Amino acid sequence: MTMLATDRPAAAVSGAARSPRHSLARSVLITTTFIVPAVVVRVGGLHPEPVAALLIFGAAVVSASFLLAWAAEAARIDVSGGLATAVLALIAVLPEYAVDLYYAYVSGHNPEYTQYASANMTGSNRLLMGLGWPVVVLIGILVARRAGTRKPGGLALQPSNRVELGFLLIAGVFAFVIPASSQIHLATGVALLAWFGFYLYKVSHGDVEEPDLIGTAAALGDLADRRRHLAVVCLFATSGAVILFCAEPFADNLVAAGGELGIDRFLLVQWLAPLASEAPEFIIATILAARGRGTAAIAMLISAKVNQWSLLIGSLPVAHLLGGGGLSLALDPRQIEEILLTATQTMMGVALLMGLRFNRATAWALLVLFVVQFPIASTHGRLLLCGVYAAVALAGLAVNRRQLAATIRAPFFTTALRHSGHPHDPPSAPRLPT
């Protein structure tokens, strides 16, 4: 009987050790199932109909994005140096930007593609703030209510989150140069890239906070060091190769499918491509919020928004130039209106969050205004919506006026947070043996 009693914990430990491996194997198998058809089609030189090709390559991009997201999250355990943190941040945004940079590159020798570059950029920005932010917050509030918290009215942000808000505020204000000049000039791009570089420096030299891993990323984190390092490197290499391999056919077939289906190509590129590339980030943030980590989830999405307003927009004129274009991407009136909408939405979001609290009302306002834009098809309607965003932003600035100076100073004088190091494992969850 004594032997049986001591054997049971050992069996439990063995089962716990196998569980992460099973989770990893299952996740890799599922994603591989969607990646293989795209590789076969591309390598085999096959040319399916645009809609079918869009589904094939789109599924591969989404699957590779999941692989990359898992690897990037798990890699935070071992990342400690500033340069390593910067490299990791650049790798993590690859799926979001590969398609947009392809459009910008092609626009250098095919002006028609300029509209698609701006469409993808504005869509990804507005999707993140108009859908991602409020959904995560509303889920976080719902979870807090079910946990017994008395009438939670929002999520409290950490003081360190003011750094990201400050970076976003300054980048957002600077971005008004784009609609004002009717172009995305190379000088504007260089300035935004420099701002992103400073952001990476700030984050990489901030206080260390343990990463909050979930799902497959947590399973990777539970592996022994040597196995985790090998797994992360393999996932990075595989996902990066698949994304680069599929970005071009996905982008081209997205445009072609719009014509075949009779759907406005601009709108299809604006919303479908960002939804596919940002799906893993949205899902991870949603899971965090559903597990009671709403503050961490919204902080992750705020950081992603900083990346979009600096790295993404700043890279577009560079890609355009490399593709054979001039020093700037010239924008037509429709593109100017879309960028103005995106900039005013950003100002509204930042203004309402400067008090470091994401209220339920703020979440609903962002979500409702995001949904309202879809029936709008006229210049007058888009400019009117810009006015609504601007009015709410001014109201938010008035309410949080005492926090404005602190938010502007934060990128320069406030300490940021970066996620690094091993999470604290509970005693009942031992690390896997080598």
Side-chain angles (χ1 to χ4, degrees):
M1 295 296 294
T2 304
M3 291 180 62
L4 290 175
T6 56
D7 284 345
R8 285 176 182 173
V13 170
S14 177
R18 287 196 302 268
S19 180
R21 295 184 185 132
H22 292 166
S23 176
L24 281 174
R26 183 174 61 252
S27 298
V28 171
L29 179 61
I30 292 173
T31 52
T32 302
T33 301
F34 290 100
I35 290 174
V36 169
V39 175
V40 171
V41 169
R42 189 81 195 273
V43 173
L46 305 178
H47 300 284
E49 293 297 317
V51 175
L54 174 63
L55 294 175
I56 292 171
F57 290 110
V61 169
V62 172
S63 298
S65 299
F66 273 106
L67 293 178
L68 188 61
W70 295 330
E73 288 298 306
R76 295 180 188 277
I77 293 176
D78 304 296
V79 170
S80 57
L83 179 60
T85 301
V87 171
L88 180 60
L90 291 172
I91 293 174
V93 299
L94 176 62
E96 295 184 33
Y97 302 161
V99 173
D100 207 2
L101 293 182
Y102 170 74
Y103 285 136
Y105 176 83
V106 175
S107 72
H109 51 271
N110 184 355
E112 180 186 358
Y113 272 64
T114 300
Q115 62 175 321
Y116 302 135
S118 65
N120 191 270
M121 179 270 288
T122 55
S124 61
N125 266 277
R126 298 218 296 276
L127 188 69
L128 181 61
M129 179 173 277
L131 183 64
W133 284 22
V135 167
V136 164
V137 170
L138 292 174
I139 290 175
I141 293 173
L142 179 62
V143 170
R145 176 179 295 178
R146 290 182 175 178
T149 303
R150 184 178 179 182
K151 294 183 178 179
L155 294 179
L157 303 181
Q158 297 181 14
S160 59
N161 294 142
R162 193 177 297 282
V163 174
E164 282 82 4
L165 290 175
F167 272 99
L168 185 55
L169 173 63
I170 294 173
V173 170
F174 179 75
F176 278 96
V177 170
I178 297 173
S181 61
S182 303
Q183 62 180 351
I184 307 178
H185 196 275
L186 182 63
T188 302
V190 170
L192 289 172
L193 290 175
W195 190 238
F196 176 72
F198 180 52
Y199 171 65
L200 286 184
Y201 171 82
K202 187 73 176 182
V203 172
S204 64
H205 288 75
D207 293 337
V208 176
E209 183 179 68
E210 294 171 352
D212 191 359
L213 305 182
I214 59 174
T216 303
L220 278 169
D222 285 339
L223 293 174
D225 290 349
R226 186 181 304 173
R227 292 183 177 180
R228 184 180 64 256
H229 297 163
L230 178 61
V232 167
V233 169
C234 290
L235 289 177
F236 270 140
T238 301
S239 59
V242 171
I243 290 169
L244 295 176
F245 194 61
C246 296
E248 178 181 348
F250 173 68
D252 287 337
N253 283 288
L254 184 60
V255 174
E260 185 173 287
L261 296 173
I263 300 175
D264 187 327
R265 295 176 179 179
F266 185 94
L267 293 178
L268 197 62
V269 171
Q270 187 175 35
W271 301 116
L272 184 57
L275 187 62
S277 61
E278 294 184 7
E281 191 170 44
F282 284 174
I283 292 174
I284 291 173
T286 301
I287 293 174
L288 277 174
R291 294 186 177 183
R293 298 283 295 164
T295 298
I298 193 60
M300 181 179 75
L301 296 186
I302 291 174
S303 178
K305 182 72 173 176
V306 176
N307 292 347
Q308 287 181 341
W309 265 121
S310 52
L311 176 61
L312 175 57
I313 299 178
S315 300
L316 295 183
V318 177
H320 177 74
L321 181 64
L322 293 176
L327 295 178
S328 65
L329 283 86
L331 305 175
D332 63 25
R334 170 69 183 279
Q335 297 161 33
I336 294 171
E337 294 162 13
E338 294 289 347
I339 292 177
L340 189 60
L341 259 177
T342 307
T344 52
Q345 182 206 47
T346 300
M347 290 299 98
M348 170 184 162
V350 174
L352 294 177
L353 293 188
M354 285 196 305
L356 296 184
R357 184 166 182 81
F358 206 133
N359 296 316
R360 183 193 293 107
T362 298
W364 278 115
L366 285 170
L367 185 58
V368 168
L369 290 176
F370 175 77
V371 173
V372 163
Q373 71 182 321
F374 289 102
I376 297 176
S378 66
T379 295
H380 176 75
R382 284 188 284 270
L383 293 179
L384 180 61
L385 185 56
C386 287
V388 174
Y389 276 128
V392 178
L394 290 174
L397 285 173
V399 172
N400 296 315
R401 59 188 180 279
R402 295 181 180 178
Q403 307 299 328
L404 178 59
T407 304
I408 295 174
R409 291 196 305 266
F412 307 98
F413 302 108
T414 303
T415 302
L417 278 180
R418 61 183 171 90
H419 300 274
S420 180
H422 283 291
H424 288 304
D425 292 329
S428 59
R431 296 184 59 77
L432 298 180
T434 55

